[in-house]
Amino acid sequence: MITDVAGIEVGHHQRIEDGWATGTTVVLAPPGTVGAVDGRGGAPGTRETDLLRPENLVQHVNAVVLTGGSAYGLDAATGVMRWLSERNTGFPVGMQPHEVVPIVPGAVLFDLPRSAWGNRPDASFGYAACEAAAGGPVEQGCVGAGTGAKVGSLKGGIGTASTVAEAWTVGALAAVNAKGEAADLATGRLWAGDQFDVDWPDRPGDLPTVEQTGLNTTIGVVAVNAALSKAEAGRLAMAAHDGLARAVRPAHSMFDGDTVFALATGEMPLPDGPMRAVALDSLCAAAAEVFATAMGNGVLAATSLAGLPGYRDVWPGALRA
């Protein structure tokens, strides 16, 4: 899980009831974490991404917000800022401990049809997600930003994964809400299926008719315990999009706002000299692999909700208990 990267904590908050199927996920970063972002879709909804450009002042990130609610859901970050400010956590702008501005970039996905349109995350969702944050196991499926997610013809959700690349741990968290399909509907095999120990059904699924909204967006975070510059972290975010493209077809459409953040906690340095680029390349390869796995986990963990069928319901018995 992404929390295998030491210091990373994840919290979810969601509402699932009549007229509600949406939520917010917060990734809290340890002090000194360098942040970056890369967006590839044609319809992004983001917050505070310009400050992550390498030439800009702020170097460190306190939290990343992933949320439903389309552009309305950006309000969830206000609650995250309040939670952090209560703990004197942020970019120092004065001499007193409380004189800080929390650095909280974020991105939204389009899930408005799953709620009653007026029901979307607000500041209270972000605050509650922070209160729930922990560094242990991360709940997957229809939670947090994945609550109202949809991927092609199936229910999407939150997924996470991690791997070890040489001496470094690389983790990913994805809210899978893509226009493209995550599985070959003729066989039930995930496009990223090589990374899973699953006996794929090799038959078409019983798919109900699902309304196609045309507006989507997969958003996520890739984290590493390496010490990276903002530019190097940006390469990590770029590489994670390769994993996204392995997991859904098509990817990065004009109707997806696909956005991936990178967090480098700085625990372990990269080597100096020519081997630094070699090590960074290894981290980027791992980021692509782990993000594809996280997306697959999000699909397999999702259950039917708000009229959308989960993978397990379309291909019952395909997954081992």
Side-chain angles (χ1 to χ4, degrees):
M1 298 185 172
I2 192 172
T3 50
D4 291 335
V5 178
I8 296 293
E9 298 184 351
V10 174
H12 302 304
H13 181 70
Q14 61 279 328
R15 289 188 65 175
I16 302 173
E17 57 199 72
D18 289 344
W20 286 90
T22 190
T24 298
T25 297
V26 172
V27 181
L28 297 178
T33 296
V34 170
V37 66
D38 190 76
R40 297 296 175 92
T46 58
R47 176 187 188 276
E48 298 279 40
T49 52
D50 279 353
L51 63 79
L52 300 180
R53 293 168 61 94
E55 68 270 23
N56 290 336
L57 173 66
V58 172
Q59 297 296 310
H60 300 138
V61 168
N62 303 119
V64 173
V65 177
L66 309 176
T67 184
S70 190
Y72 298 106
L74 290 172
D75 190 34
T78 302
V80 179
M81 289 191 70
R82 179 164 66 88
W83 189 88
L84 289 166
S85 69
E86 291 173 356
R87 289 153 180 80
N88 299 334
T89 300
F91 182 76
V93 293
M95 301 301 294
Q96 300 301 316
H98 68 278
E99 294 175 339
V100 297
V101 176
I103 305 301
V104 185
V108 302
L109 56 79
F110 185 82
D111 61 356
L112 296 178
R114 260 67 76 195
S115 291
W117 287 87
N119 295 337
R120 56 248 181 175
D122 57 16
S124 68
F125 277 62
Y127 194 95
C130 289
E131 289 282 276
V138 178
E139 188 176 359
Q140 302 182 83
C142 301
V143 293
T147 302
K150 170 180 172 291
V151 55
S153 304
L154 299 171
K155 182 70 183 69
I158 285 281
T160 186
S162 68
T163 190
V164 175
E166 299 182 26
W168 299 277
T169 301
V170 183
L173 180 82
V176 188
N177 189 65
K179 175 179 173 64
E181 297 285 357
D184 181 348
L185 300 184
T187 66
R189 182 183 181 86
L190 294 190
W191 297 123
D194 290 344
Q195 297 175 218
F196 294 87
D197 182 20
V198 171
D199 294 326
W200 302 109
D202 196 26
R203 58 176 172 79
D206 183 14
L207 279 165
T209 300
V210 176
E211 180 184 359
Q212 299 298 319
T213 62
L215 295 169
N216 308 274
T217 298
T218 293
I219 52 181
V221 178
V222 59
V224 64
N225 61 346
L228 303 179
S229 68
K230 286 171 74 175
E232 290 168 335
R235 294 296 305 183
L236 204 69
M238 291 172 61
H241 279 283
D242 293 342
L244 191 160
R246 296 173 194 171
V248 293
R249 299 182 185 180
H252 305 137
S253 77
M254 287 299 295
F255 306 99
D256 289 290
D258 299 333
T259 302
V260 180
F261 296 91
L263 298 175
T265 66
E267 180 184 7
M268 299 179 61
L270 264 60
D272 296 325
M275 293 305 295
R276 186 176 185 88
V278 175
L280 179 61
D281 192 57
S282 177
L283 294 180
C284 288
E289 174 187 345
V290 78
F291 202 84
T293 303
M295 290 187 64
N297 283 336
V299 175
L300 297 180
T303 54
S304 297
L305 181 69
L308 296 175
Y311 181 95
R312 295 169 181 267
D313 300 301
V314 175
W315 287 280
L319 304 179
R320 298 172 184 171

